Amino acid sequence: VPDHYLRDDIGCGAPGCAACGSAHEGPVLEPQPLDPASSLCPWPHYLLPDTNVLLHQVVWRPGTWASVASSLRLPGSLETYVEQEQGENANDRNDRAIRVAAKWYNEHLKKMSAENHLQVIFITNDKKNKEKAIEEGIPAFTCEEYVKSLTANPELIDRLACLSEEGNEIESGRIIFSEHLPLSKLQQGIKSGTYLQGTFRASRENYLEATVWVHGDDEENKEIILQGLKHLNRAVHEDIVAVELLPKNQWVAPSSVVLHDEGQNEDDLEKEEERERILKTAINEKMLKPTGRVVGIIKRNWRPYCGMLSKSDIKESRRHLFTPADKRIPRIRIETRQASTLEGRRIIVAIDGWPRNSRYPNGHFVKNLGEVGDKETETEVLLLEHDVPHQPFSQAVLSFLPKMPWSITEKDMKNREDLRHLCVCSVDPPGCTDIDDALHCRELENGNLEVGVHIADVSHFIRPGNALDQESARRGTTVYLCEKRIDMVPELLSSNLCSLRCNVDRLAFSCIWEMNHNAEILKVRFTKSAINSKASLTYAEAQMRIDSTAMNDDITTSLRGLNKLAKILKKRRIEKGALTLSSPEVRFHMDSETHDPIDLQTKELRETNSMVEEFMLLANISVAKKIHEEFSEHALLRKHPAPPPSNYEILVKAAKSKNLEIKTDTAKSLADSLDRADSPTFPYLNTLLRILATRCMMQAVYFCSGMDNDFHHYGLASPIYTHFTSPIRRYADIIVHRLLAVAIGADCTYPELTDKHKLADLCKNLNFRHKMAQYAQRASVAFHTQLFFKSKGIVSEEAYILFVRKNAIVVLIPKYGLEGTVFFEEKDKPKPRLIYDDEIPSLKIEDTVFHIFDKVKVKIMLDSSNLQHQKIRMSLVEPQIPGISIPVDTPNMDINEPERKKKRREK
């Protein structure tokens, strides 16, 4: 018989309870619970929810979720041991234990304050559990009953989670989806190979299509395509699903059609079926991909979704559709009494379940974020949607910051070289306050050159395992939005103590090479240091010094030496096969008062950008070699996998359509053929090819050296690489600094640093955070671009075709670095004759043929007809196609019509 040791030192949590005395530590109950104006229980009471209420009604996600249960009052920690009876399952035993606790509390509180009527109310959604509680004399209600009784807070009803998928099937009822198999069957099927397990990835461009990335090493069926509502079978983006492969004669090709779910009538399934038929057009055998259907859900990865309410046309209706901001998420049906208030606002909604006979999942309203289009609200939405941690740093985190005023002490100089005499300077974009890196170059007595890269010593201030370290690791990276920076570390470090500003002493980690004048490395050493930067320059200021014949001071001489070496390093790197790719980056010029964008330009790159980049790359490679020599099993490295040949198909075809050949068998052959791909009559063609080549690339990722054997960085043509040069804004660099410090004996190690499994988990989080930061940055650029065109009105610009689709072309406008889609099929307009050829690829509209890289003229305007997805709309101006092209001088088309009509109705 097992022994059970029970504690007798845990109190009830009620203050002033004589029976428990001083036994209680931890949370304490309110002495006199405030009357929540419940019509069911008018007397003061505490609430005791059962486990399922807590799981389904409260989601532990601080800062994001507000829900009914945040207002439930829980009793203090109570350890009650209840023996499992014979024939009783674990679930029933747990239910009984909670009832025992409720009963014990009621009796205990009665002794404490008989005159106060203090009671504990048991909240459960389990019918049997509630019946048993009432039989045992415990006041019990379902969550819905109790919330509906709170007459003073009727808005809480909207926040109730729907109870079960089955119990909530809509009255209309025809079955749309097949049943999900139970987990036990799915696990058996995966084990036997009948089913495959993977991550469900919905498409942004086509709501009737998705892919499943299969887990495991099976190269053959790594990616499975799913088409049509029934095959998607109620899976939601990022769910872990089980799929069944369809027979080869049912395989399909990825669709080239752009389809967005815009239907308001959720029962219009005939229309869906018609749209599914559009997907299945004649295609060539080579394009077919392994195709499957979802048979069950292994794990739901639902999160809170931001978006807008699509108010029902039915007057007084409480049932409405919610349209998420993320186009990969299906619309969600919610019930709310606040539809009029919530219209035109960004809100958060949670999914509760998805019945088999409902076109959309069911959910409930969680939070009102603010008015759509408001800059603060939209920034909050894009941070929430990309899961960017952005709450202010907690007191616990801030408590680990150094006390001000701060200065370098004798203790700080232990194991550190004093390099404050060197002529060090930093070169950064204008307005940069988090300066990670500084450089120097000087001639040595032996005629060689000494070059130093000095990086902010962030790991000196952030010690392993404390709250500041944990928060930095969780954030993983600083996120740069157009007008806002979400720091990875508190501002005292990022913009002050760690920032290598000029004319102040700062702690650094230095990588110092001795080189000859041909940029060949003769020696390298690493040291913790103290530096004093002599100048903080912008790229333009540094370039001006290099180019000016009148300037010959130490800083300028140092810059010229660095620039000369950087050119040699770059040439050598490119000869080895490093890629020079391109992506149109934009810069906004903001109005100083309104902070609205008033100008939009592509970023200008100077020689000095390249100069700084070359030495950062060299430092990262030198450090990667050093930490891998010392820690072969647990070095944190960064790799860039070579893309599979299929990724390059579009690039090769596009070049071929312009009579150019692109070779892709190695990075070197790709780099060389991109260099050769020139057209004297079309100078921008080479940039377009490099932009397209960028789209073919894989994502670079962090990994732990002991968990992988392929270290190669494809884009840089380097056998080994890491990140060392930006510790203020990347957590990976802090770990690399710690590894390097241990390697040179400047700091001590700690257990997590030499645990490859812990490092692998850390890398996984860092890769996720970096990807999300990138997406958030793009979303911020897109939003500010919309603001720019809102004030600019309609403009016509030259553009180049990047992709052709079945019913659209995707174009790039070099002037603004802006990409957009020109659609050729519009609702309520006669359909033009479209012929799509995937081989070339080309799209024929009436008698005009479009190829990739063709030059066109487009009209750009902001389309606000859909408040939720305001978008830049593009229409063809040239070449002129009757019925398709728009004359240049068309008056401002009324693309805000729905808004205007609505306002008229309101009047």
Side-chain angles (χ1 to χ4, degrees):
V1 177
D3 289 344
H4 296 292
Y5 294 91
L6 303 180
R7 290 174 60 178
D8 60 359
D9 60 343
I10 296 175
C12 66
C17 173
C20 297
S22 58
H24 35 189
E25 283 180 22
V28 177
L29 294 167
E30 291 173 20
Q32 187 67 35
L34 299 170
D35 178 9
S38 163
S39 55
L40 288 175
C41 347
W43 53 89
H45 56 275
Y46 298 114
L47 294 182
L48 179 61
D50 76 2
T51 320
N52 286 320
V53 169
L54 280 176
L55 286 175
H56 295 133
Q57 188 58 63
V58 187
V59 177
W60 301 110
R61 203 165 153 127
T64 309
W65 282 88
S67 73
V68 176
S70 60
S71 62
L72 304 184
R73 289 176 198 83
L74 301 175
S77 309
L78 174 82
E79 298 279 330
T80 312
Y81 183 71
V82 173
E83 188 83 58
Q84 189 166 345
E85 292 172 355
Q86 209 172 350
E88 184 179 46
N89 64 33
N91 197 38
D92 289 346
R93 180 250 160 227
N94 291 342
D95 286 348
R96 191 163 54 83
I98 297 170
R99 292 198 305 274
V100 166
K103 195 167 186 176
W104 180 89
Y105 256 107
N106 275 327
E107 285 164 8
H108 186 77
L109 292 172
K110 212 179 277 177
K111 287 179 213 162
M112 195 182 102
S113 62
E115 72 286 349
N116 271 355
H117 279 297
L118 251 182
Q119 262 201 328
V120 164
I121 304 293
F122 181 42
I123 303 290
T124 178
N125 289 327
D126 182 323
K127 202 176 166 187
K128 279 187 188 163
N129 203 3
K130 183 188 161 193
E131 283 168 5
K132 284 182 181 169
I134 291 166
E135 274 170 32
E136 291 165 20
I138 304 161
F141 303 103
T142 65
C143 197
E144 188 174 356
E145 285 167 346
Y146 180 78
V147 170
K148 283 184 174 174
S149 78
L150 302 177
T151 45
N153 300 87
E155 76 284 354
L156 284 179
I157 297 167
D158 289 354
R159 302 188 184 197
L160 279 169
C162 296
L163 293 186
S164 74
E165 303 210 353
E166 289 71 40
N168 221 347
E169 302 212 340
I170 49 175
E171 300 76 30
S172 71
R174 79 152 153 149
I175 300 291
I176 304 168
F177 300 104
S178 55
E179 204 165 346
H180 287 151
L181 298 180
L183 200 55
S184 56
K185 277 196 178 167
L186 296 178
Q187 284 163 341
Q188 280 169 12
I190 289 161
K191 211 172 177 183
S192 67
T194 315
Y195 306 136
L196 296 165
Q197 176 176 325
T199 305
F200 180 89
R201 302 266 166 83
S203 160
R204 282 178 203 277
E205 293 200 327
N206 187 340
Y207 74 102
L208 293 174
E209 186 167 283
T211 47
V212 170
W213 284 83
V214 177
H215 302 169
D217 303 320
D218 178 11
E219 281 305 311
E220 197 187 339
N221 294 323
K222 197 72 194 151
E223 191 185 3
I224 293 171
I225 194 164
L226 312 174
Q227 270 187 8
L229 276 183
K230 292 187 170 88
H231 287 170
L232 302 179
N233 197 5
R234 298 172 286 156
V236 176
H237 184 64
E238 293 294 344
D239 281 351
I240 308 297
V241 298
V243 290
E244 178 182 47
L245 266 183
L246 297 174
K248 280 199 174 181
N249 62 357
Q250 291 179 37
W251 284 14
V252 297
S255 160
S256 302
V257 178
V258 179
L259 281 183
H260 294 145
D261 180 10
E262 286 162 352
Q264 178 67 302
N265 181 1
E266 58 184 273
D267 301 320
D268 198 354
L269 292 169
E270 281 69 26
K271 207 169 199 174
E272 303 287 9
E273 284 157 15
E274 185 191 318
R275 286 186 143 197
E276 284 176 24
R277 281 195 291 276
I278 300 172
L279 304 182
K280 298 175 175 53
T281 45
I283 22 124
N284 118 13
E285 283 285 307
K286 281 193 299 185
M287 301 297 293
L288 297 177
K289 292 265 165 75
T291 306
R293 67 184 188 96
V294 170
V295 290
I297 309 289
I298 290 158
K299 182 174 179 273
R300 287 290 194 191
N301 273 327
W302 295 339
R303 59 177 176 82
Y305 299 107
C306 299
M308 286 181 73
L309 197 69
S310 306
K311 198 175 165 208
S312 169
D313 293 336
I314 304 163
K315 225 179 172 185
E316 304 300 319
S317 174
R318 285 182 186 173
R319 193 176 273 175
H320 308 274
L321 278 177
F322 163 82
T323 307
D326 186 341
K327 288 187 176 169
R328 295 168 301 188
I329 307 299
R331 298 163 105 184
I332 301 162
R333 190 153 35 74
I334 68 168
E335 285 198 27
T336 175
R337 293 149 180 75
Q338 309 173 63
S340 310
T341 318
L342 299 178
E343 209 179 358
R345 299 184 78 78
R346 293 280 191 190
I347 62 173
I348 294 178
V349 159
I351 297 181
D352 299 320
W354 196 339
R356 289 175 59 199
N357 60 358
S358 171
R359 168 66 184 84
Y360 298 111
N362 294 325
H364 66 274
F365 164 73
V366 173
K367 190 180 179 186
N368 181 348
L369 292 173
E371 198 172 333
V372 69
D374 173 72
K375 220 179 291 184
E376 289 295 310
T377 304
E378 296 301 334
T379 302
E380 178 75 4
V381 166
L382 73 88
L383 291 170
L384 287 169
E385 278 297 291
H386 295 99
D387 201 3
V388 174
H390 60 286
Q391 288 76 36
F393 289 98
S394 69
Q395 275 312 116
V397 168
L398 298 173
S399 69
F400 285 97
L401 291 174
K403 301 288 172 275
M404 295 301 283
W406 175 88
S407 60
I408 297 176
T409 63
E410 210 174 300
K411 188 182 167 195
D412 294 334
M413 290 307 292
K414 198 182 165 200
N415 297 327
R416 199 178 282 278
E417 268 186 62
D418 193 338
L419 303 179
R420 285 176 280 199
H421 60 285
L422 290 177
C423 185
V424 169
C425 70
S426 63
V427 184
D428 289 283
C432 177
T433 59
D434 51 345
I435 304 171
D436 282 293
D437 54 90
L439 301 149
H440 88 272
C441 175
R442 63 174 180 166
E443 196 156 336
L444 298 171
E445 285 174 6
N446 62 9
N448 288 331
L449 296 168
E450 178 188 85
V451 176
V453 163
H454 310 276
I455 305 299
D457 188 4
V458 182
S459 63
H460 173 84
F461 296 97
I462 299 182
R463 302 310 294 165
N466 69 23
L468 175 56
D469 181 45
Q470 287 171 1
E471 181 61 17
S472 308
R474 184 175 83 90
R475 293 184 178 220
T477 178
T478 291
V479 181
Y480 295 89
L481 306 179
C482 291
E483 272 191 285
K484 195 175 188 173
R485 192 178 80 200
I486 313 292
D487 280 324
M488 178 184 84
V489 299
E491 196 178 9
L492 179 66
L493 296 182
S494 66
S495 296
N496 187 349
L497 302 185
C498 291
S499 185
L500 304 181
R501 308 190 302 195
C502 61
N503 304 320
V504 286
D505 292 348
R506 288 290 177 256
L507 300 177
F509 210 148
S510 302
C511 173
I512 300 168
W513 302 274
E514 186 178 327
M515 293 182 178
N516 61 23
H517 285 264
N518 197 26
E520 286 158 339
I521 297 168
L522 308 171
K523 288 181 196 163
V524 61
R525 68 190 180 89
F526 306 98
T527 177
K528 290 241 178 178
S529 60
I531 64 164
N532 185 304
S533 170
K534 304 299 179 272
S536 299
L537 306 171
T538 65
Y539 290 117
E541 287 166 346
Q543 191 67 53
M544 192 187 74
R545 279 175 177 263
I546 289 168
D547 297 340
S548 165
T549 49
M551 298 185 85
N552 290 299
D553 57 283
D554 289 350
I555 293 169
T556 307
T557 308
S558 175
L559 287 168
R560 284 184 188 135
L562 289 164
N563 198 38
K564 194 177 162 193
L565 292 169
K567 286 178 180 175
I568 302 168
L569 288 168
K570 185 171 185 176
K571 186 168 179 280
R572 198 173 293 150
R573 212 165 45 77
I574 287 169
E575 279 165 6
K576 280 189 192 164
L579 298 171
T580 311
L581 299 176
S582 182
S583 63
E585 284 192 71
V586 296
R587 186 174 197 91
F588 291 96
H589 295 273
M590 301 293 185
D591 183 293
S592 57
E593 285 179 22
T594 64
H595 296 285
D596 284 340
I598 46 175
D599 198 9
L600 175 59
Q601 292 170 342
T602 46
K603 285 183 186 172
E604 189 186 338
L605 294 178
R606 296 177 170 84
E607 256 182 24
T608 43
N609 290 75
S610 180
M611 175 189 84
V612 172
E613 185 187 5
E614 283 310 313
F615 287 107
M616 296 306 119
L617 293 175
L618 191 62
N620 286 335
I621 291 167
S622 299
V623 170
K625 287 175 183 168
K626 178 70 178 174
I627 61 172
H628 185 246
E629 269 167 33
E630 291 290 329
F631 307 105
S632 60
E633 284 292 294
H634 43 259
L636 191 154
L637 301 175
R638 187 163 176 83
K639 68 171 181 174
H640 181 218
S646 60
N647 278 30
Y648 286 127
E649 276 175 15
I650 187 76
L651 177 67
V652 173
K653 284 177 182 177
K656 197 176 168 188
S657 73
K658 293 286 178 249
N659 300 318
L660 294 167
E661 186 186 14
I662 297 284
K663 291 189 171 161
T664 60
D665 42 333
T666 64
K668 172 86 177 121
S669 59
L670 173 63
D672 290 347
S673 52
L674 282 170
D675 286 342
R676 285 193 301 271
D678 253 343
S679 163
T681 57
F682 187 0
Y684 197 64
L685 177 64
N686 192 267
T687 307
L688 287 168
L689 282 165
R690 290 179 195 276
I691 288 170
L692 206 53
T694 309
R695 308 293 170 88
C696 303
M697 293 299 139
M698 305 291 281
Q699 192 82 34
V701 288
Y702 295 112
F703 69 102
C704 172
S705 58
M707 306 290 274
D708 210 323
N709 44 25
D710 172 24
F711 292 9
H712 190 75
H713 196 294
Y714 179 80
L716 298 172
S718 176
I720 192 166
Y721 192 66
T722 193
H723 272 163
F724 164 75
T725 55
S726 294
I728 296 177
R729 62 186 176 89
R730 290 189 305 232
Y731 188 77
D733 304 51
I734 293 179
I735 296 292
V736 169
H737 277 227
R738 289 174 183 168
L739 289 164
L740 184 61
V742 175
I744 64 167
D747 206 342
C748 48
T749 186
Y750 58 97
E752 284 80 7
L753 195 64
T754 52
D755 181 330
K756 63 183 185 181
H757 296 286
K758 290 256 170 72
L759 271 177
D761 287 343
L762 177 70
C763 288
K764 196 175 171 186
N765 179 53
L766 294 179
N767 291 330
F768 171 72
R769 292 290 179 210
H770 276 262
K771 187 171 72 174
M772 286 297 132
Q774 250 179 342
Y775 291 159
Q777 278 151 310
R778 284 180 206 163
S780 179
V781 168
F783 174 62
H784 281 80
T785 306
Q786 288 174 14
L787 289 179
F788 171 70
F789 281 106
K790 193 174 185 176
S791 59
K792 185 104 173 148
I794 294 181
V795 292
S796 293
E797 290 295 341
E798 283 183 351
Y800 294 97
I801 297 175
L802 276 185
F803 303 101
V804 290
R805 302 276 188 246
K806 276 185 183 174
N807 59 347
I809 54 173
V810 178
V811 300
L812 173 76
I813 296 158
K815 182 176 175 181
Y816 299 123
L818 179 65
E819 211 174 292
T821 307
V822 179
F823 288 98
F824 296 118
E825 288 181 333
E826 287 193 51
K827 268 192 288 184
D828 312 322
K829 281 195 177 177
K831 285 191 178 178
R833 207 158 27 92
L834 300 177
I835 301 167
Y836 174 69
D837 183 338
D838 185 67
E839 276 305 299
I840 301 176
S842 70
L843 178 66
K844 188 176 182 182
I845 303 162
E846 301 299 342
D847 299 318
T848 307
V849 182
F850 291 99
H851 297 97
I852 292 182
F853 303 148
D854 281 357
K855 190 176 182 178
V856 293
K857 193 169 193 178
V858 296
K859 185 167 277 197
I860 316 160
M861 57 200 124
L862 179 68
D863 181 352
S864 306
S865 58
N866 178 341
L867 267 179
Q868 158 88 326
H869 292 121
Q870 292 196 34
K871 57 183 180 226
I872 302 296
R873 185 158 131 189
M874 296 189 185
S875 311
L876 190 68
V877 174
E878 286 170 15
Q880 290 199 349
I881 306 170
I884 300 283
S885 304
I886 294 172
V888 186
D889 51 359
T890 4
N892 197 337
M893 291 185 344
D894 201 353
I895 43 180
N896 301 320
E897 191 57 31
E899 252 178 295
R900 304 241 172 103
K901 275 185 190 158
K902 199 174 82 187
K903 281 183 182 154
R904 221 171 288 144
R905 277 204 304 269
E906 283 167 6
K907 281 178 191 171

